[in-house]
Amino acid sequence: YVSLLVRVAQAAREEGLDLAGAVFGGGGEPPTPAKVGEIRRSGARYLPSYNVTELGKVGIPCQAPVEENDHHLCLDHLALVQHRRTVPGSDLEVDAFLFTTLLASAPKLALNVESDDYGVVERRACGCPWQAEGFDVHVRGIRSFRKLTGEGMTLVGSDVLHLLEEVLPARFGGSSTDYQLHEVEDQRGRTRLKLLVSPRVELASEQAVLDALLAGLARASPAADLARATWVEAGTLAIERREPIWTRRGKLLPLHLVPHRAEETAAPAEPAAAAPDRPR
């Protein structure tokens, strides 16, 4: 996981170790500029990975990337189209990835299967060896629009919706609009989760609120319990007394994900023959 690579790089620097010549490869969460910067400051090189359990390898890291998460689409066994759709519970629209397997030997047959990922798909001449091999379609700026990810652990929105909107208000006061999880990145490139609690809610103990959320995650599902254990060990989750963040259209989302700069400024890619802009 990218966050674990960041921690290794930071530990090396703290010990005065030079990791020049080392190559860190990983995925599980977006390799943001801050995270990759931390890795590179240790002397190591970072190569992203893009895999989906049911599909296998989706992308090969570009050797002449335009950003930290730039891949060559594995056209030898996958096809990818994009479909404009609204993120559930949001007013945000994204170009969701839909994958189709091309080989009879594929472990699973996929036909326009949505992976919950979105990003930029473009045909670009990068000049790296993979382009010479015919892999000229790039996938970059990859993010999940349904999940909250920190320290490589993924928390599905449905696992925490009940906790934020019902359990915490019933126990500590307030309403479903007074609690929100907010994904942030600190100055060291580590992904943090802030539990935002409105100052209107009178709390005898902030730690009791965090403990209740963590206990609820432990009971929600095996995946949520694994995320809880990892976040506790990494110190990922903290409470912040401030009003939850509303969208510009007046919606309050239980999970507030901050879009990365690359996603906010990326221009739409021109349609390519191998990557049409709508599903068939």
Side-chain angles (χ1 to χ4, degrees):
Y1 298 128
V2 179
S3 288
L4 300 183
L5 300 180
V6 171
R7 288 177 176 268
V8 171
Q10 290 171 344
R13 292 179 61 203
E14 290 168 358
E15 294 294 327
L17 301 176
D18 183 3
L19 299 185
V23 178
F24 284 11
E29 57 188 308
T32 63
K35 286 183 170 63
V36 175
E38 287 282 352
I39 293 172
R40 289 174 178 166
R41 279 191 285 277
S42 73
R45 180 186 178 197
Y46 173 76
L47 291 178
S49 64
Y50 187 22
N51 304 284
V52 175
T53 301
E54 295 81 4
L55 303 174
K57 182 170 287 295
V58 175
I60 307 167
C62 180
Q63 302 302 302
V66 298
E67 64 171 61
E68 291 77 10
N69 205 14
D70 189 357
H71 301 261
H72 291 268
L73 179 64
C74 292
L75 297 171
D76 57 325
H77 70 103
L78 288 175
L80 166 63
V81 296
Q82 292 175 277
H83 174 56
R84 194 73 175 172
R85 55 114 75 227
T86 302
V87 177
S90 167
D91 55 2
L92 177 68
E93 289 189 345
V94 297
D95 293 318
F97 291 171
L98 306 180
F99 290 100
T100 296
T101 51
L102 302 178
L103 301 180
S105 58
K108 288 189 177 182
L109 175 65
L111 178 60
N112 282 344
V113 172
E114 186 176 87
S115 67
D116 292 349
D117 290 340
Y118 71 101
V120 178
V121 180
E122 61 187 0
R123 175 169 277 123
R124 188 179 79 249
C126 63
C128 94
W130 290 112
Q131 180 195 345
E133 296 295 332
F135 296 92
D136 61 347
V137 176
H138 289 250
V139 183
R140 60 181 179 85
I142 305 157
R143 292 280 284 175
S144 171
F145 59 83
R146 285 184 185 269
K147 301 171 183 177
L148 190 66
T149 305
E151 294 291 340
M153 295 291 104
T154 300
L155 188 64
V156 181
S158 58
D159 287 334
V160 296
L161 190 62
H162 172 67
L163 295 172
L164 295 176
E165 295 189 349
E166 299 180 43
V167 175
L168 295 185
R171 180 170 176 181
F172 300 100
S175 68
S176 61
T177 62
D178 290 324
Y179 300 86
Q180 184 184 54
L181 276 177
H182 182 205
E183 181 190 56
V184 298
E185 190 174 81
D186 66 18
Q187 295 179 345
R188 303 187 70 187
R190 296 179 179 180
T191 300
R192 296 296 187 218
L193 300 179
K194 298 286 189 179
L195 175 60
L196 305 185
V197 181
S198 171
R200 298 191 306 271
V201 180
E202 296 183 4
L203 298 178
S205 169
E206 294 183 353
Q207 186 59 47
V209 181
L210 286 179
D211 291 342
L213 177 62
L214 293 170
L217 290 175
R219 296 188 296 267
S221 68
D225 186 37
L226 177 60
R228 174 203 59 79
T230 303
W231 291 342
V232 168
E233 183 175 355
T236 300
L237 188 63
I239 196 169
E240 183 174 344
R241 298 305 303 272
R242 59 173 287 189
E243 293 294 338
I245 303 169
W246 295 75
T247 70
R248 287 177 295 179
R249 297 186 181 181
K251 292 184 178 181
L252 179 66
L253 308 179
L255 309 180
H256 183 76
L257 309 184
V258 178
H260 284 211
R261 198 169 301 166
E263 297 162 9
E264 296 172 333
T265 60
E270 293 187 4
D277 60 0
R278 58 175 60 89
R280 294 179 178 176

